[in-house]
Amino acid sequence: MSRENSLVSTQWVEDNLDTDKVVIIEVDEDTTAYDKGHIKGAIKLDWTTDLQDQVRRDFVNKEQFEALLSSRGVANDDTVVLYGGNNNWFAAYAYWYFKLYGHQDVKLMDGGRKKWELDSRELTDELPQRAATSYTAQEQDRSIRAFRDDVVAAIGTQNLVDVRSPDEYAGRLLAPAHLPQEQSQRAGHIPTSVNVPWSKNANDDGTFKSDEDLQALYNEVGFDEDKDTIALCRIGERSSLTWFVLQELLGKKNVKNYDGSWTEYGSLVGVPIALGDEPGDA
Amino acid sequence: MCGAKVGGLSLDGVNVAKEAVIQGQVVRGTGDDATPVASAYVRLLDQSGEFTAEVPTSATGHFRFFAGDGQWTLRTLAPKADPVDRLVQAQTGSVAEVLITL
């Protein structure tokens, strides 16, 4: 993958609002953001109800994902362009999710909703009508999804990239600071994981830094090109953005996103936890 | 909405005793001419300048963070305005109110 294949600019989106076979999809942490105004023609996916199983902690299964995209009018050969608030955290999560289920042509809008708004580009409250399709998903591509046992086995042996803010990594905060801090899990980080906050990948306006700057960022923390990599955060959405940078922009091999992330790891009985700003020992 | 007051954000449901709340409002203009800015983004930066969180302002220009004890920087981005940085001190059990004028 490369920047050309996986990223489009806000200008490209504005130029392609009416292009056939381009489907623009908004995915936000604040699931009401779309309802207040969205890019013309964009449809909405709600990460809490559309993409999550409503009983177990897991994703919707292949059949549910097929039914979802079919009902929203997304076809297998459509170019899916994702954007969202919070610097594309949940749009990147959806991007990874589309890849997990094998959608071929999916792209992120660089900078997301924030860049679109800071550009003073138009938003609308008109709801688009799309004819239903018959979408076929692939089996989940487990080569890009890590589970807790993969993560425990990776301690001291793989690149573990914790993308939360420094205060969450060190154990001084338990959640991003726009959320209340009372949580049930323990604070801290996985021993030997390095802290590269997702925000270091992005400029203030939410666009990604250059490939050169991104490569330098990971070189700086001793990223080992010969090892497999797992990215994690609190619930797996910010780490989707880092997964996107590592695998899709920089072309690293064997990068997995751990969607269980700290809310799972920090609740496990008996696993090692490191506190403070240093990675700690295996 | 002209001249809307700082601190208009309800704290219902927030356990203030356990949180170090930073909240406030983004406006253009001053005094009676102050107009809330609904399309701004407020970023919370830690003492090293590292990003910690970001929120879009509400329809009334309000924002809120649940920080930790210590000094933080609020960086505000808005269309057609230069970024504005403001230092703020947060403490568990208290609410730091900040009015940000673009």
Side-chain angles (χ1 to χ4, degrees):
Chain A
M1 290 304 291
S2 67
R3 193 169 285 252
E4 292 69 34
N5 294 332
S6 51
L7 203 58
V8 292
S9 67
T10 49
Q11 187 60 51
W12 185 95
V13 172
E14 186 163 327
D15 292 342
N16 286 277
L17 290 178
D18 299 313
T19 302
D20 192 33
K21 305 302 288 178
V22 171
V23 183
I24 303 166
I25 304 180
E26 177 162 338
V27 189
D28 275 305
E29 179 177 26
D30 171 6
T31 56
T32 65
Y34 174 92
D35 307 325
K36 296 172 196 152
H38 49 266
I39 296 176
K40 181 180 153 236
I43 61 172
K44 167 187 177 178
L45 286 182
D46 182 324
W47 74 276
T48 58
T49 55
D50 291 331
L51 301 179
Q52 306 284 332
D53 187 281
Q54 294 301 294
V55 179
R56 298 176 305 129
R57 183 180 174 187
D58 205 348
F59 301 150
V60 296
N61 64 27
K62 176 176 176 288
E63 289 71 27
Q64 290 169 308
F65 189 67
E66 288 173 338
L68 171 70
L69 294 195
S70 298
S71 69
R72 302 294 166 87
V74 181
N76 284 82
D77 60 349
D78 282 341
T79 297
V80 169
V81 178
L82 294 155
Y83 78 98
N86 248 351
N87 301 276
N88 270 338
W89 286 1
F90 285 75
Y93 172 77
Y95 180 104
W96 171 72
Y97 204 110
F98 271 76
K99 286 291 183 185
L100 194 69
Y101 277 122
H103 193 88
Q104 295 298 315
D105 191 2
V106 53
K107 299 175 192 301
L108 265 189
M109 182 177 85
D110 201 12
R113 187 182 171 103
K114 178 169 67 171
K115 174 75 169 122
W116 187 272
E117 289 185 10
L118 292 175
D119 288 350
S120 299
R121 296 180 196 269
E122 191 184 344
L123 294 171
T124 180
D125 56 6
E126 277 176 39
L127 296 178
Q129 299 293 323
R130 298 188 64 83
T133 61
S134 181
Y135 190 91
T136 305
Q138 306 300 309
E139 294 298 332
Q140 276 194 22
D141 177 2
R142 295 296 176 88
S143 73
I144 61 171
R145 187 181 188 193
F147 292 93
R148 61 180 183 233
D149 292 345
D150 303 324
V151 172
V152 173
I155 295 172
T157 64
Q158 292 185 25
N159 297 307
L160 278 169
V161 183
D162 188 324
V163 318
R164 295 175 296 162
S165 63
D167 281 332
E168 291 174 83
Y169 175 83
R172 294 185 288 268
L173 289 180
L174 270 161
H178 64 287
L179 299 172
Q181 295 297 316
E182 264 197 284
Q183 309 285 334
S184 57
Q185 70 270 16
R186 297 304 176 105
H189 59 266
I190 302 171
T192 75
S193 65
V194 294
N195 185 212
V196 186
W198 72 271
S199 54
K200 287 186 182 296
N201 296 305
N203 301 305
D204 276 359
D205 67 2
T207 56
F208 288 107
K209 292 181 176 170
S210 70
D211 287 354
E212 294 71 30
D213 286 352
L214 292 171
Q215 186 60 56
L217 175 65
Y218 291 96
N219 288 346
E220 208 174 281
V221 294
F223 187 92
D224 188 335
E225 302 283 345
D226 295 329
K227 291 181 177 172
D228 293 352
T229 300
I230 297 173
L232 74 143
C233 59
R234 189 180 71 102
I235 58 171
E237 80 308 359
R238 285 174 285 178
S239 51
S240 297
L241 188 137
T242 293
W243 172 87
F244 178 86
V245 167
L246 291 171
Q247 177 143 317
E248 305 295 87
L249 296 185
L250 297 179
K252 310 277 186 218
K253 303 296 180 206
N254 302 321
V255 184
K256 290 186 167 80
N257 182 34
Y258 173 36
D259 55 279
S261 273
W262 195 256
T263 52
E264 178 176 65
Y265 190 94
S267 301
L268 292 176
V269 175
V271 294
I273 289 179
L275 288 172
D277 297 306
E278 298 302 320
D281 299 320
Chain B
M1 298 306 291
C2 290
K5 286 181 182 168
V6 182
L9 211 52
S10 167
L11 283 159
D12 289 353
V14 176
N15 189 347
V16 175
K18 292 186 174 179
E19 305 283 355
V21 175
I22 299 171
Q23 65 178 29
Q25 191 184 28
V26 179
V27 298
R28 287 186 203 271
T30 54
D32 290 344
D33 293 329
T35 309
V37 179
S39 54
Y41 285 84
V42 184
R43 297 165 78 82
L44 182 72
L45 310 179
D46 69 16
Q47 289 196 43
S48 69
E50 185 55 57
F51 175 98
T52 301
E54 178 180 277
V55 289
T57 50
S58 68
T60 57
H62 286 98
F63 63 88
R64 174 183 290 156
F65 294 106
F66 300 93
D69 291 347
Q71 183 174 277
W72 300 84
T73 297
L74 296 173
R75 176 168 296 166
T76 304
L77 309 177
K80 302 183 177 84
D82 291 330
V84 173
D85 283 5
R86 286 284 302 275
L87 284 177
V88 58
Q89 200 74 28
Q91 192 178 342
T92 302
S94 77
V95 178
E97 290 277 3
V98 187
L99 179 67
I100 295 172
T101 305
L102 297 178

